[in-house]
Amino acid sequence: MKLSERDDELQLLERLYAGCVRGRGAVVLTNGPVGCGKTALLRAFAGRAVEQGALFFSVTASASEQFHQLGLVDQLVTAMRAAGMAADPFAAEEVGVTVSGDDPEQAGRAPLGLLQRICRTVCQFAEDRPLVVSIDDVHFADEPSLQCLRYLIRRIDSSSIMIVMNESSCHDRELATLHAETLHLPYCHRIRLAPLMVSGTAEQLTELLGAEPAREAAEVWAEVSGGNPLLLHALIEDHASAEAAPGEPAPGESFRHAFLRCLHRGVPAMLVVARVLAVLGESATPSLLGDFLGDDARSVRWTIADLNAAGLLSNVRFRHERAQLAVLADIPAKDLSAMHSRAAELLHRGGASAKAVAKQLIAAHDSDTAPWRVDILREAAREAMASGDAAESVTYLRHASRMCADMVQEAQITAALADAQWHIDPAKATRHLHHLSHMVRTGLLTSEDAMVPVKQLLWQGEFARADALLRRIEANAGEIECGSLAGAAPSDIMIARLWLSFCRPGLPGDAAAGADGVPSAWSGPMSALTFLTLSESLTWDDEDVQGADQVLHRTRAGSPLASTLFALIVLIQTGRLDEALLWSRRLLEEGWIRGVPVRRALFETIRAVAALRRGDVAEAGESARTALELVAPPSWGVVVGLPLSVAIRAATELGDFETVMTYLNLPVPPVMFDTPFVLPYLQASGHYHLAMGRPHTALTNFQSCGDLMVKWQLDSPDLADWRNDAAAALIAMGKARQARVLVEDQLSRLGGGRSRIRGIALRRLAAADDGPERLAWLQEAVRSLAESGDRLELARARADLEAAQEAVGRQGPSEPLVEFRAEEQDEPELADMSEADPLLAELTDAERRVAALAASGRTNREIASKLFITVSTVEQHLTKIYRKLRVRNRSDLPARLSFPNG
């Protein structure tokens, strides 16, 4: 095998050998870290020397024979015997004595007569031809053998003898005497081998893998191997055995064995320090190493320097995780547990992060129940959740649960564990609900921890159990006196009550106002926007209600998750779709959200809803699919109707009906059909049937949605636009008159401003009536949808408008299609007349607009054209206006109803 970056060293050896042939002795001491190729260099030189006629004696010292007197010399004599030595220089009593490793001074000195006989015998071999004596790992040689070696070295300057010794640089201090007595001699030379550079690494890869690697790839191999040829060849062997394509190294068994071999061949301190570094991991520092080992910083730094020189470390870090794992696996199990426990204590004492200490406690597997250990594990669990690692949080809490000192602490840890598991898989977290509920009822679980089972019961739709626990928590909160344990946060209780009210709209109840006028026990019907607004106001401690923008700008890891979700939904409900999408995408890049399945699934769902409202069905479908993959449908509880509905709607719009059927076949909890989350699900199902040409089935779904909303007193377009959907089904069935009635009813419920729902309603109205107002309705529909940001519905409205204009064009001249800007507004503003006449305050905005135009002398058809409604709707409004104002006809309408601008 070709040597890389060793040409200069090999040439020096050959030059010295040439002098040896001419009778000039030479000594070479090759120094370098373990595994750097000293032996390979020696073998390459030996091969060339033998080819040129040299006699070659090779001996190798061993750590296991370091206390065997004259063991190295014995190897040399054996080699000389094999070469035909005439007289044996050894006497039987001079070799084979083993001394104690605890008292190496017993070795004493080799007899002078023996030194002389050995020297004379070696020199006799060099009389006929050059002699090369190689000594590998000379740093392991026993002291009498080193004495004999030093004696020989001082007497070969005028002989044909060349002595080549290899030593590891980490053993420099052990060979101080040899260095002192030899290196100053003029015929002594020292070679220092360094780890391979990138170019040398690339050369080895080319030779052994058969292809020249790219510069970047060679740099990676050099980094992982540290330039250590032994490790590099092990990596190449692993790569070849895996039959992988050329690329980055993948350390395997060969690498593991080579790494441990380097450690065990170095000084003992290298193995000890490497083991401590492996235990400490990212927390390791030289000073902490010193504290752990009880050594001074200088000796620790020396050992770290040796490990770095050998390419085993980069500063105080392993170059690859497999190296650290190899060292950990090499530590006896009993010692490893004790080391992790000591590491935890040192890190805790030194003020390390809770997560760093907790990792050591987990690895220690001990049963020590010291209070600080439980506190550290709980703090680490909170840190893990804040950083987005719910699985790690669960691990810490499980370990802490086995170390509880009392039942109260056990209850708190169980609640935290259930909450962490819920963020991974809500269905699996339900195993704790019975136990947690019992702890709340018995008073063991208090404060914010008591809300954990309540929130999970609400999520699963077990409203009766959640209500019972809430009542218990509220009763406990009323009993708590100043100075005792804190109760659950009022905002948490109120949000839970609001959620109960929103999810159980069919149940009657009373509202009792709290101290701030916010209902503390709300039940009965509530609109979605009311719920969101109230919930958002309760999630911050500030006295002033925070707007959605402020809440989102203040969102950080550890912020109340509910407030951020509420703020995003408020943006959607108020038509700020671009902002909702921007914030959703930005927040999904946050590690504390992206790393926790339930958090990410919730934000993906919000993103999907915003994208669908804006008409981006591909993005909506992708986000909804991601949400349902992150959290399986059975784990969504009653909320499953929301992501499922978006997924169904998006797939329907994309024409992927096979996927739609997959979603529709998923089981949903029966309790969902008693909550508002069934409304978007019914709408989505209806849209699918409508797209499949089954308008009757679609109408059934839409009417079921409407019936529930009326029953629950939640009949608001903000929650579900069922009338426009039902109108579409009726139009498909050829029942335009019934569709028009529904659309007119929908328009009568809307304010005067433009909105997405208004735009869709006007488009439906135009589809149900081909009268002269059709073009004006479609033009206003385009304007409304352009302002709302729904690109899909806007495209449909524009297509209808173009078709309508073409139809008009075939009958006569018409106005060209124009691009409508969101800021266009041609409706006059109403004067504020509610204070002037109490009767006028009874009119809705829509009725006041109709009344004002009628009072100014406009006909019913002119009013309908002006307000983009039907003549029938105008007549219905006037009937209500006459009744409320107690007049008989439009001539009796008060003049002050007119608009300020006439």
Side-chain angles (χ1 to χ4, degrees):
M1 182 182 65
K2 180 182 178 181
L3 297 178
S4 298
E5 298 180 4
R6 302 292 186 255
D7 293 342
D8 292 343
E9 292 81 0
L10 196 55
Q11 288 176 10
L12 173 61
L13 290 171
E14 291 179 341
R15 190 165 61 250
L16 293 174
Y17 175 74
C20 176
V21 172
R22 295 192 294 270
R24 294 198 301 269
V27 177
V28 178
L29 185 61
T30 305
N31 178 282
V34 291
C36 71
K38 300 183 293 295
T39 301
L41 176 64
L42 181 57
R43 288 173 180 171
F45 166 67
R48 297 187 184 188
V50 171
E51 287 177 358
Q52 298 178 34
L55 180 62
F56 185 78
F57 293 155
S58 175
V59 297
T60 302
S62 170
S64 61
E65 297 182 8
Q66 197 166 10
F67 303 106
H68 187 76
Q69 287 196 69
L70 296 172
L72 191 65
V73 173
D74 186 32
Q75 290 186 49
L76 179 59
V77 171
T78 300
M80 290 190 293
R81 287 175 184 150
M85 180 176 60
D88 196 328
F90 269 146
E93 68 277 4
E94 292 176 330
V95 69
V97 178
T98 302
V99 299
S100 171
D102 297 329
D103 188 11
E105 292 186 3
Q106 292 182 28
R109 295 186 61 83
L112 178 59
L114 176 63
L115 300 181
Q116 292 171 338
R117 292 195 299 273
I118 293 293
C119 181
R120 186 165 52 250
T121 303
V122 171
C123 291
Q124 287 174 355
F125 272 98
E127 291 176 355
D128 299 328
R129 54 177 172 161
L131 173 64
V132 176
V133 179
S134 76
I135 306 171
D136 207 3
D137 290 340
V138 67
H139 46 272
F140 288 135
D142 59 280
E143 179 55 30
S145 292
L146 287 175
Q147 293 173 20
C148 186
L149 183 59
R150 294 195 295 267
Y151 186 87
L152 176 63
I153 286 173
R154 292 193 296 270
R155 287 160 177 78
I156 65 168
D157 58 328
S158 298
S159 63
S160 296
I161 298 175
M162 183 175 179
I163 299 175
V164 183
M165 299 176 287
N166 286 348
E167 67 166 2
S168 290
S169 54
C170 58
H171 289 275
D172 274 350
R173 294 178 291 278
E174 299 171 24
L175 293 175
T177 303
L178 177 65
H179 296 164
E181 294 188 12
T182 59
L183 291 180
H184 67 284
L185 299 173
Y187 50 89
C188 281
H189 305 269
R190 191 171 196 177
I191 294 176
R192 294 185 183 274
L193 295 184
L196 297 177
M197 295 186 294
V198 175
S199 58
T201 301
E203 193 174 79
Q204 290 290 299
L205 291 171
T206 302
E207 179 182 1
L208 297 175
L209 294 180
E212 184 177 355
R215 172 75 183 184
E216 294 77 10
E219 288 175 349
V220 174
W221 283 81
E223 172 61 27
V224 175
S225 67
N228 186 306
L230 180 62
L231 297 182
L232 177 61
H233 293 161
L235 287 172
I236 293 173
E237 184 177 336
D238 286 330
H239 190 80
S241 63
E243 298 181 353
E248 294 188 0
E253 278 300 293
S254 296
F255 177 82
R256 183 178 73 85
H257 287 298
F259 196 92
L260 293 176
R261 179 182 167 192
C262 288
L263 288 177
H264 284 277
R265 286 178 60 192
V267 293
M270 290 174 64
L271 179 61
V272 172
V273 168
R275 286 179 169 179
V276 176
L277 285 174
V279 168
L280 291 175
E282 294 296 318
S283 303
T285 63
S287 60
L288 186 59
L289 274 170
D291 292 341
F292 194 105
L293 297 170
D295 292 340
D296 62 274
R298 178 182 297 179
S299 62
V300 169
R301 292 184 186 278
W302 279 344
T303 306
I304 292 175
D306 289 336
L307 290 165
N308 276 268
L312 304 179
L313 294 181
S314 176
N315 198 4
V316 290
R317 299 287 182 268
F318 290 93
R319 293 179 176 274
H320 196 279
E321 182 186 15
R322 289 300 297 270
Q324 181 181 5
L325 294 176
V327 176
L328 287 172
D330 190 53
I331 304 173
K334 184 177 180 181
D335 294 342
L336 182 60
S337 178
M339 290 175 72
H340 279 300
S341 185
R342 175 158 174 74
E345 292 176 2
L346 289 173
L347 289 170
H348 176 60
R349 194 185 309 158
S353 70
K355 286 181 65 175
V357 181
K359 286 181 179 179
Q360 299 294 339
L361 291 175
I362 296 296
H365 298 294
D366 60 13
S367 56
D368 191 336
T369 58
W372 69 266
R373 294 183 175 230
V374 178
D375 294 340
I376 281 291
L377 288 167
R378 294 177 67 182
E379 178 60 28
R382 286 190 289 269
E383 289 181 6
M385 282 299 298
S387 64
D389 195 339
E392 191 174 63
S393 179
V394 168
T395 300
Y396 295 146
L397 290 168
R398 279 179 177 163
H399 196 75
S401 67
R402 298 192 291 267
M403 306 165 66
C404 297
D406 53 53
M407 296 180 66
V408 173
Q409 190 177 68
E410 179 189 355
Q412 294 169 345
I413 292 176
T414 303
L417 177 59
D419 185 56
Q421 288 181 326
W422 182 88
H423 280 83
I424 299 173
D425 187 345
K428 291 183 178 178
T430 57
R431 70 187 70 172
H432 299 286
L433 280 176
H434 178 75
H435 188 38
L436 289 173
S437 299
H438 175 73
M439 290 175 171
V440 172
R441 289 192 295 270
T442 57
L444 285 173
L445 198 60
T446 59
S447 69
E448 296 180 4
D449 296 329
M451 292 301 297
V452 170
V454 173
K455 293 174 183 177
Q456 295 186 14
L457 288 169
L458 290 174
W459 179 269
Q460 296 298 330
E462 298 189 42
F463 302 121
R465 289 178 62 190
D467 182 63
L469 285 186
L470 262 179
R471 294 179 186 278
R472 177 61 182 172
I473 293 169
E474 289 165 339
N476 289 343
E479 296 170 1
I480 291 174
E481 298 179 357
C482 183
S484 62
L485 291 174
S491 60
D492 285 345
I493 296 175
M494 291 179 184
I495 289 175
R497 281 292 175 201
L498 289 170
W499 182 263
L500 266 174
S501 172
F502 179 71
C503 289
R504 300 192 304 177
L507 298 180
D510 300 321
D516 299 324
V518 179
S520 61
W522 199 305
S523 59
M526 180 187 300
S527 75
L529 196 54
T530 301
F531 166 70
L532 293 169
T533 304
L534 286 171
S535 299
E536 182 192 356
S537 70
L538 292 171
T539 52
W540 293 96
D541 294 332
D542 299 321
E543 293 182 1
D544 298 329
V545 176
Q546 299 293 317
D549 292 321
Q550 290 86 345
V551 171
L552 292 168
H553 279 290
R554 291 177 58 176
T555 297
R556 299 289 186 274
S559 299
L561 188 64
S563 64
T564 305
L565 292 170
F566 293 152
L568 287 172
I569 299 174
V570 167
L571 291 182
I572 295 173
Q573 291 292 97
T574 53
R576 297 162 64 183
L577 302 178
D578 288 337
E579 294 175 65
L581 275 172
L582 177 64
W583 275 108
S584 297
R585 293 167 184 159
R586 184 180 299 174
L587 288 167
L588 279 167
E589 294 301 318
E590 295 285 338
W592 64 279
I593 292 175
R594 193 169 188 82
V596 179
V598 169
R599 288 177 183 168
R600 183 182 172 192
L602 290 171
F603 281 93
E604 288 284 6
T605 301
I606 299 298
R607 176 181 176 180
V609 171
L612 187 65
R613 287 280 185 94
R614 202 176 67 162
D616 295 334
V617 291
E619 181 177 356
E622 177 65 21
S623 289
R625 181 188 62 79
T626 301
L628 291 168
E629 287 177 350
L630 288 166
V631 178
S635 293
W636 276 91
V638 296
V639 188
V640 71
L642 189 55
L644 267 182
S645 67
V646 179
I648 293 168
R649 284 290 300 275
T652 299
E653 295 290 353
L654 292 169
D656 188 358
F657 300 121
E658 184 177 346
T659 298
V660 174
M661 285 306 302
T662 301
Y663 288 131
L664 286 173
N665 288 332
L666 290 172
V668 295
V671 68
M672 185 196 77
F673 291 91
D674 297 323
T675 73
F677 293 106
V678 72
L679 303 179
Y681 184 77
L682 289 172
Q683 280 186 289
S685 177
H687 279 277
Y688 164 69
H689 289 296
L690 191 59
M692 293 298 290
R694 296 192 286 265
H696 291 83
T697 306
L699 182 61
T700 300
N701 280 277
F702 297 141
Q703 287 180 332
S704 296
C705 179
D707 291 344
L708 287 173
M709 295 180 72
V710 172
K711 174 185 175 182
W712 294 337
Q713 301 178 44
L714 290 175
D715 193 5
S716 167
D718 290 331
L719 192 56
D721 186 18
W722 70 272
R723 287 183 177 82
N724 279 333
D725 292 339
L730 288 168
I731 292 170
M733 294 164 59
K735 298 182 179 181
R737 186 181 62 81
Q738 295 180 35
R740 179 170 177 164
V741 171
L742 273 178
V743 174
E744 289 174 348
D745 188 13
Q746 181 77 305
L747 287 169
S748 70
R749 295 168 181 271
L750 300 175
R754 290 171 180 152
S755 66
R756 175 179 176 273
I757 298 173
R758 180 180 176 83
I760 294 173
L762 289 171
R763 179 171 169 264
R764 297 276 188 273
L765 190 59
D769 190 336
D770 58 357
E773 298 93 348
R774 184 166 183 261
L775 195 60
W777 289 336
L778 286 172
Q779 288 174 331
E780 178 59 16
V782 169
R783 290 190 181 96
S784 295
L785 291 169
E787 286 190 15
S788 74
D790 190 332
R791 299 172 182 176
L792 184 60
E793 288 295 337
L794 175 61
R796 289 168 173 166
R798 280 177 168 163
D800 289 352
L801 179 56
E802 287 178 357
Q805 288 184 321
E806 288 178 4
V808 172
R810 287 193 295 268
Q811 300 172 10
S814 66
E815 294 182 5
L817 176 65
V818 296
E819 291 292 331
F820 296 103
R821 298 187 302 274
E823 63 269 22
E824 287 183 355
Q825 181 72 33
D826 57 8
E827 286 189 7
E829 296 295 331
L830 286 170
D832 185 4
M833 299 168 288
S834 58
E835 295 183 3
D837 191 335
L839 289 177
L840 298 181
E842 296 183 13
L843 300 181
T844 66
D845 285 346
E847 290 168 350
R848 289 171 61 193
R849 290 178 184 278
V850 170
L853 290 171
S856 66
R858 304 287 182 92
T859 66
N860 287 0
R861 184 168 294 279
E862 288 172 338
I863 295 172
S865 177
K866 181 70 174 175
L867 298 181
F868 301 101
I869 57 178
T870 64
V871 175
S872 174
T873 300
V874 173
E875 292 171 351
Q876 293 176 31
H877 279 316
L878 286 174
T879 300
K880 296 176 183 177
I881 293 166
Y882 296 158
R883 185 179 67 252
K884 291 179 180 180
L885 298 183
R886 301 171 188 173
V887 297
R888 293 184 177 181
N889 51 51
R890 71 179 63 207
S891 62
D892 294 332
L893 293 172
R896 60 180 176 275
L897 276 171
S898 60
F899 292 101
N901 57 348

